[in-house]
């Protein structure tokens, strides 16, 4: 397939991986693509075989743990290798994880179980708010490891639900990009470890617009190419972001005047829009209903999967946000060693590579990104956005109580107005 | 003798408990307790991270009468009412046709009414997007036939929302009306005909009033869930129409402001009680009329 011409990736948008509904279709396509593109079919068969072996070997490991338990001196010493753990570690026990659906290949979890003897209970949440609700309802209990977006790490830490990360148990932290250790919501990764990151930008059909969009102002500008053919994200944090960025304000502002101005900006954009859409915007691009949409980079790639010739992604000149999804160990966990081991497992190049090729999201992990199949990188150009480029965007942070109310009211007014 | 008479009476208690128990438990656990919780939340305060702080205040209620929210309530009432009226206009004739069809046809026709429920609501709603979208079947057809120059403006607006609501809840209008028409039977209409009533007079003065309980039930079954629906405005309204259901969803999930969400939810609960009160009133009146006639 033809390489995409316009790689004018300059600025970024933010996104917590909030709305995963509606991804299933893209996912199945993604799998199909992978099978065609990189011979994953064979790989799948291997995984299937490994699975039955895995069940047996974990049973053996469990027995071994029981028998040797008395003699084992220190079962928590982590493997020091940066690739595959040498042998099944005598970790055992269970590990309750909550993650977004389709945000990790199931094989990764199964392989982890096989290699460590830990039994993983893999729960799903649909949004950050969903898992926050579950955690607040049970006062931080019920899970060992949860996946949440950056701003929610602050909340979990503040509430005392997040355990301190013990770097000694995660040697593969060394694989993280430098930028990923200085993220605004948790500098030094004291209570979280970044899983994936990315930005928000304009995803567009190069064959349907006369000139590639370069600015967020595209939404506020009436043009025959784009009138009633654009969508913006409907969730508050992203709904007001194009306006705030265009007006030169922070994407984390809690200043009522700035929020009001961004609200006005968005109201002016509304007549040009087809819809506010958080879930199917890429499908609207593919069908030609829309020519320009505000999109998270990874979700734009779902459109690229179906139309690699014409669908492009760009970060507008005014800049955007950098969002990070993270892994947080719970303070209430009875098996923190296994939770740390899981994080360490994820950070390995061979494992991370499977995740990136499956989700089409970037990991802030140079070793992982170097291991990704070049064919996938070539088709999905947003995977090549550099860490420094990402990091130059503003990170989303929490808005506080009054700030949140202002934002939600402004968003409601835009949508209802 | 007295012992024999008392025994069955005493035995009734276990039976009553066994029969009523599950229903009452269901009602208490899944209705009374949750609604009380929502009521309690509505007077509380949002915590900095979305929790609930139990400090009595009426602040949330004061916030709810902001013109912004009143406008949303007005939109919801308007759209739910339009959907109810349209569903009635479509549903009554359909129910009438089924009720008066030959016995052989009734069951298959009823089955057709219920059939859509066998597919997920979400999928059926997405299917409408496929039909209505500017590059979709209807617009393409209209352009080909030369009926219009550009795509039809039939998606991502209030029209699409009403359409989606009517489509989703039409069976809930047809079924209770069918039930009351069936119970009525052909006799009253035959009597009206014998007394030289025209068909229109029969419908207006006999059939419609006698099936009023079914009509009211159908209207409630359509109106109440329409008012609270948030999926249809989100998908078919393109996120540009905000209804009460969206507000509640947004407060509980996005804003994590449970107390304020609870206030809006309480509003819907109160509205539902009012509507059900009206229904009870209508039912009582028709029953009284029946007894009067008898």
């Amino acid at each position: 397939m033809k390489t995409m011409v316009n790689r004018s990736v300059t600025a970024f948008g933010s996104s917590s991986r909030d709305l995963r509904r509606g991804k299933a279709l893209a996912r199945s396509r993604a799998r199909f693509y992978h099978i065609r593109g990189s011979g994953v079919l064979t790989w799948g068969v291997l995984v299937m075989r490994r699975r039955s072996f895995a069940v047996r070997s974990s049973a053996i490991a469990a027995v071994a743990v029981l028998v040797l338990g008395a003699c084992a001196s220190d079962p928590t010493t982590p493997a020091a290798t940066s690739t595959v753990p040498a042998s099944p570690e005598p970790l055992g026990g269970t590990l309750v994880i909550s993650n977004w659906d389709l945000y990790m290949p199931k094989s990764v979890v199964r392989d982890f179980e096989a290699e460590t003897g830990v039994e993983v209970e893999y729960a799903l949440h649909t949004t950050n708010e969903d898992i926050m609700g579950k955690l607040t309802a049970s006062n931080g209990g019920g899970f060992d490891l949860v996946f949440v977006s950056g701003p929610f790490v602050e909340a979990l830490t503040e509430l005392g639900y997040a355990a301190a990360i013990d770097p000694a148990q995660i040697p593969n932290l060394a694989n993280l990009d430098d930028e990923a250790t200085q993220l605004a919501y948790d500098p030094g990764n004291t209570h979280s470890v970044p899983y994936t990151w990315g930005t928000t930008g304009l995803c567009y059909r190069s064959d349907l617009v006369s000139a590639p969009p370069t600015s967020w102002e595209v939404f506020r500008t009436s043009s025959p190419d784009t009138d009633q053919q654009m969508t913006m994200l409907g969730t508050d944090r992203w709904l007001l972001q194009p306006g705030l960025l265009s007006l030169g304000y922070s994407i984390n502002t809690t200043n009522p005047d700035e929020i009001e101005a961004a609200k006005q900006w968005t109201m002016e954009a509304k007549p040009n829009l087809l819809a506010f859409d958080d879930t199917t915007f890429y499908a609207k691009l593919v069908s030609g209903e829309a020519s320009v949409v505000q999109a998270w980079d990874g979700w734009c790639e779902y459109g690229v999967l179906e139309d690699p010739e014409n669908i492009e992604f760009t970060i507008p000149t005014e800049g955007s946000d950098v969002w990070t999804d993270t892994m947080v160990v719970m303070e209430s966990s009875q098996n923190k060693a296994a939770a740390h081991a899981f994080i360490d497992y994820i950070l390995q190049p061979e494992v991370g590579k499977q995740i990136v090729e499956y989700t089409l999201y970037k990991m802030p992990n140079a070793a992982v990104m170097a291991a990704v199949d070049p064919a996938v990188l070539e088709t999905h150009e947003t995977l090549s956005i550099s860490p420094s480029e990402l990091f130059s965007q503003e990170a989303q942070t929490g808005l506080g109580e009054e700030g949140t109310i202002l934002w939600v009211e402004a968003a409601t007014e835009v949508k209802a107005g | 003798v007295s012992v024999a008479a008392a025994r069955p009476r005493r035995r009734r208690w276990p039976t009553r408990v066994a029969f009523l128990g599950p229903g009452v438990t269901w009602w208490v656990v899944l209705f009374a307790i949750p609604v009380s919780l929502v009521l309690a939340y509505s007077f509380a305060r949002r915590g900095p991270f979305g929790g609930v702080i139990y400090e009595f205040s009426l602040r949330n209620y004061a916030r709810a009468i902001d013109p912004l929210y009143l406008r949303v309530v007005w939109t919801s009432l308007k759209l739910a009412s339009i959907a109810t009226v349209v569903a009635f206009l479509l549903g009554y004739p359909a129910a009438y046709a089924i009720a008066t069809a030959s016995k052989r046809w009734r069951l298959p026709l009823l089955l057709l009414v219920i059939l859509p429920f066998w597919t997920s609501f979400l999928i059926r709603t997405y299917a409408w997007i496929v039909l209505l979208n500017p590059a979709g079947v209807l617009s393409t057809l209209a352009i080909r036939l030369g009926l219009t120059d550009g795509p039809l403006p039939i998606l991502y607006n209030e029209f699409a929302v009403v359409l989606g609501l009517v489509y989703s809840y039409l069976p809930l209008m047809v079924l209770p009306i069918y039930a009351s028409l069936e119970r009525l039977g052909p006799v009253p209409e035959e009597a009206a005909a014998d007394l030289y009533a025209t068909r229109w007079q029969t419908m207006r003065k006999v059939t419609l009033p006698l099936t009023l309980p079914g009509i009211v039930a159908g209207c409630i079954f359509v109106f109440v869930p329409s008012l609270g629906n948030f999926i249809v405005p989100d998908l078919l309204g393109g996120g540009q129409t905000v209804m009460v259901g969206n507000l509640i969803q947004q407060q509980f999930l996005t804003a994590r402001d449970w107390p304020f969400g609870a206030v809006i939810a309480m509003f819907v609960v109160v509205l539902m009680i009012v509507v059900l009160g009206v229904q009870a009133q209508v039912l009582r009146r028709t029953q009284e009329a029946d007894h009067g006639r008898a």
Side-chain angles (χ1 to χ4, degrees):
Chain A
M1 52 204 78
K2 214 168 77 182
T3 47
M4 294 167 196
V5 191
N6 188 354
R7 268 280 286 114
S8 56
V9 180
T10 46
F12 280 98
S14 67
S15 108
S16 61
R17 240 67 312 275
D18 259 10
L19 293 136
R20 275 175 194 283
R21 350 166 228 169
K23 260 178 79 173
L25 184 67
R27 222 14 354 109
S28 64
R29 302 263 182 179
R31 258 180 234 122
F32 176 59
Y33 165 80
H34 283 172
I35 287 165
R36 278 189 307 168
S38 51
V40 177
L41 189 58
T42 350
W43 176 81
V45 171
L46 286 177
V47 169
M48 292 296 284
R49 291 214 187 107
R50 207 187 312 166
R51 167 97 179 101
S52 53
F53 166 73
V55 171
R56 249 176 289 136
S57 70
S58 66
I60 292 166
V63 171
V65 169
L66 282 177
V67 174
L68 302 175
C71 337
S73 50
D74 183 9
T76 54
T77 313
T81 54
S82 63
T83 55
V84 182
S87 59
E89 284 178 49
L91 272 169
T94 56
L95 182 66
V96 186
I97 299 177
S98 190
N99 193 356
W100 286 275
D101 197 7
L102 306 167
Y103 211 25
M104 181 181 288
K106 286 205 172 88
S107 57
V108 167
V109 177
R110 287 200 303 258
D111 293 348
F112 172 78
E113 289 183 306
E115 285 177 23
T116 59
V118 173
E119 194 184 313
V120 176
E121 202 179 301
Y122 195 78
L124 300 174
H125 53 260
T126 49
T127 60
N128 282 307
E129 287 77 15
D130 179 12
I131 184 66
M132 286 299 290
K134 285 181 193 169
L135 287 171
T136 20
S138 61
N139 202 20
F143 298 94
D144 297 304
L145 182 68
V146 297
F147 286 66
V148 294
S149 300
F152 292 85
V153 172
E154 291 175 81
L156 289 174
T157 311
E158 200 83 17
L159 289 163
Y161 296 167
I165 295 288
D166 176 10
Q169 293 185 56
I170 313 177
N172 286 326
L173 280 176
N175 292 344
L176 287 181
D177 293 319
D178 289 342
E179 289 85 353
T181 60
Q182 309 154 32
L183 296 159
Y185 60 85
D186 183 18
N189 295 331
T190 57
H191 288 82
S192 65
V193 176
Y195 176 61
T196 53
W197 67 350
T199 185
T200 316
L202 298 170
C203 187
Y204 63 96
R205 279 275 296 262
S206 55
D207 56 331
L208 296 182
V209 289
S210 48
T214 54
S215 158
W216 290 116
E217 286 293 339
V218 68
F219 291 121
R220 209 164 54 145
T221 316
S222 175
S223 145
D225 297 350
T226 54
D227 277 356
Q228 292 292 307
Q229 294 169 58
M230 296 186 288
T231 70
M232 281 173 66
L233 296 171
T235 314
D236 333 346
R237 283 312 289 261
W238 290 281
L239 177 74
L240 295 183
Q241 208 161 271
L244 286 171
L245 290 162
S246 279
L247 298 166
Y249 301 137
S250 160
I251 58 168
N252 295 306
T253 185
T254 53
N255 176 332
D257 297 336
E258 294 180 2
I259 294 172
E260 174 66 25
K263 187 190 89 189
Q264 289 302 335
W265 189 98
T266 318
M267 300 271 253
E268 285 165 32
K270 198 178 167 186
N272 302 330
L273 301 181
L274 179 65
F276 292 110
D277 189 343
D278 289 326
T279 47
T280 58
F281 49 82
Y282 63 89
K284 290 193 170 94
L285 275 186
V286 172
S287 72
E289 265 179 273
S291 55
V292 179
V293 302
Q294 181 190 3
W296 297 303
D297 44 2
W299 281 42
C300 185
E301 294 299 355
Y302 303 152
V304 173
L305 276 175
E306 306 201 25
D307 188 355
E309 298 280 332
N310 298 315
I311 295 183
E312 314 271 351
F313 182 84
T314 184
I315 303 171
T317 48
E318 299 93 342
S320 186
D321 65 332
V322 51
W323 56 261
T324 316
D325 287 341
T326 70
M327 301 177 271
V328 179
V329 178
M330 292 288 102
E331 184 60 42
S332 65
S333 169
Q334 297 300 307
N335 203 352
K336 292 200 182 75
H340 280 81
F342 190 82
I343 295 175
D344 195 49
Y345 185 80
I346 295 295
L347 297 179
Q348 299 171 95
E350 287 74 19
V351 178
K353 156 190 187 303
Q354 295 172 37
I355 294 169
V356 171
E357 290 173 5
Y358 175 84
T359 61
L360 300 179
Y361 279 106
K362 292 169 285 299
M363 288 178 94
N365 183 319
V368 165
M369 296 313 291
V372 173
D373 183 348
V376 174
L377 290 180
E378 198 190 326
T379 315
H380 302 289
E381 300 188 358
T382 63
L383 291 177
S384 305
I385 298 171
S386 74
S388 58
E389 217 172 346
L390 268 183
F391 194 63
S392 64
Q393 311 306 327
E394 190 177 358
Q396 278 189 0
T397 54
L399 297 170
E401 189 176 357
E402 295 301 323
T404 304
I405 291 177
L406 284 175
W407 274 69
V408 171
E409 280 185 350
T412 308
E413 215 156 326
V414 168
K415 289 176 151 191
Chain B
V1 174
S2 66
V3 174
R7 205 178 282 151
R9 205 168 288 162
R10 217 177 288 142
R11 269 195 210 140
R12 259 188 203 162
W13 273 107
T15 324
R16 270 192 197 154
V17 169
F19 279 29
L20 278 176
V24 171
T25 314
W26 177 276
W27 183 83
V28 169
V29 172
L30 296 177
F31 181 78
I33 295 178
V35 169
S36 317
L37 271 178
V38 171
L39 183 65
Y41 282 163
S42 72
F43 295 109
R45 196 161 70 79
R46 178 192 192 274
F49 299 103
V52 175
I53 296 173
Y54 295 97
E55 268 176 18
F56 182 85
S57 100
L58 292 171
R59 188 187 127 155
N60 297 314
Y61 284 90
R63 217 182 122 194
I65 52 174
D66 184 291
L68 167 61
Y69 299 114
L70 294 181
R71 205 165 66 221
V72 171
V73 169
W74 166 244
T75 310
S76 314
L77 288 173
K78 183 184 77 183
L79 295 182
S81 305
I82 297 174
T84 308
V85 170
V86 174
F88 169 71
L89 293 178
L90 293 172
Y92 199 95
Y96 192 86
I98 298 172
T100 52
S102 73
K103 272 226 163 95
R104 203 158 55 107
W105 280 103
R106 259 181 239 173
L107 195 65
L109 285 172
L110 273 181
L111 209 65
L112 285 178
V113 172
I114 306 166
L115 207 60
F117 284 123
W118 293 3
T119 315
S120 153
F121 174 66
L122 216 57
I123 292 175
R124 285 183 283 134
T125 308
Y126 270 106
W128 276 108
I129 297 183
V130 175
L131 284 176
L132 301 178
N133 84 63
V137 181
L138 281 179
S139 277
T140 316
L141 201 70
I143 294 170
R144 288 255 173 86
L145 293 175
L147 298 174
T148 164
D149 294 333
L152 298 167
I154 47 177
L155 187 58
Y156 310 127
N157 50 31
E158 291 192 348
F159 167 81
V161 175
V162 170
L163 180 76
L165 292 175
V166 170
Y167 167 76
S168 307
Y169 299 124
L170 187 58
L172 300 182
M173 178 68 86
V174 173
L175 294 178
I177 293 178
Y178 166 80
S180 57
L181 277 168
E182 217 227 356
R183 208 177 306 135
L184 195 62
V187 177
E189 290 195 354
E190 284 166 12
D194 288 346
L195 295 169
Y196 296 101
T198 61
R199 298 189 75 171
W200 170 240
Q201 282 172 323
T202 309
M203 177 54 73
R204 204 165 56 88
K205 298 202 160 158
V206 178
T207 315
L208 271 179
L210 287 177
T211 50
L212 200 58
I215 296 171
V216 174
C219 287
I220 285 172
F221 289 162
V222 174
F223 183 79
V224 171
S226 292
L227 194 70
N229 195 305
F230 58 88
I231 294 172
V232 169
D234 230 29
L235 294 180
L236 299 183
Q240 302 182 82
T241 307
V242 178
M243 289 176 69
V244 169
N246 301 87
L247 264 191
I248 298 174
Q249 183 214 21
Q250 190 191 32
Q251 291 302 327
F252 273 88
L253 294 179
T254 318
R256 277 175 297 139
D257 193 341
W258 290 21
F260 187 55
V263 169
I264 308 170
M266 280 319 292
F267 165 79
V268 178
V269 170
V270 169
L271 200 75
M272 243 165 64
I273 292 172
V274 170
V275 169
L276 290 176
V278 171
Q279 183 206 22
Q281 201 65 30
V282 170
L283 273 182
R284 220 186 54 198
R285 247 187 247 153
T286 31
Q287 269 164 3
E288 273 168 11
D290 279 355
H291 287 303
R293 223 173 280 136

